[in-house]
Amino acid sequence: MDKQTEIELQAAAFRRLQKHLMEDRTDVQNIDMMNLAGFCRNCLSRWYQEAANEKGIEMGKDEAREVFYGMTMDEWKANYQTDASPEKQAAFKVAFEENVTKKD
């Protein structure tokens, strides 16, 4: 497979993942994703931001989230986010430390 085709297929897979998380499974909470998989929608938007910055495109966290979510975080939270139990919040602290703040 040539490199351009590989890039196009990767981009299509990313777009499908984004659609799945943003349209098909809005019921799945970010905290649950982070606790189970070690990443969430916010991580995906951060990786998008980091890729943009590496290409010399200035993009902040809020802008990247709005691009990924297709709405502001306030809109997402109002429409889809539910309260997390104390147990989920405690597990999130561990998952966040292990997957986001801990550098390899």
Side-chain angles (χ1 to χ4, degrees):
M1 175 183 319
D2 66 272
K3 190 66 173 171
Q4 184 60 36
T5 300
E6 182 180 4
I7 290 168
E8 290 170 7
L9 294 175
Q10 290 169 341
F14 176 82
R15 287 190 300 273
R16 184 61 187 98
L17 173 62
Q18 183 181 27
K19 180 186 181 303
H20 182 73
L21 294 173
M22 304 314 299
E23 296 177 23
D24 303 338
R25 292 305 311 265
T26 57
D27 60 312
V28 177
Q29 298 296 301
N30 278 338
I31 196 167
D32 295 324
M33 290 176 60
M34 181 60 90
N35 290 347
L36 293 172
F39 78 99
C40 67
R41 292 172 185 89
N42 292 336
C43 295
L44 289 164
S45 69
R46 188 183 79 243
W47 298 337
Y48 186 92
Q49 174 193 1
E50 290 170 355
N53 294 160
E54 287 174 12
K55 289 283 192 184
I57 301 167
E58 288 191 35
M59 180 178 292
K61 178 174 73 173
D62 291 338
E63 183 182 358
R65 284 183 177 179
E66 193 164 340
V67 168
F68 186 82
Y69 281 79
M71 63 186 77
T72 67
M73 281 304 297
D74 288 340
E75 291 171 310
W76 175 265
K77 288 177 182 181
N79 290 321
Y80 303 110
Q81 189 166 309
T82 61
D83 292 333
S85 69
E87 295 81 13
K88 285 184 180 182
Q89 291 177 25
F92 175 81
K93 287 181 183 179
V94 173
F96 190 86
E97 174 66 28
E98 290 176 352
N99 296 288
V100 178
T101 58
K102 186 187 266 185
K103 301 295 179 198
D104 295 319

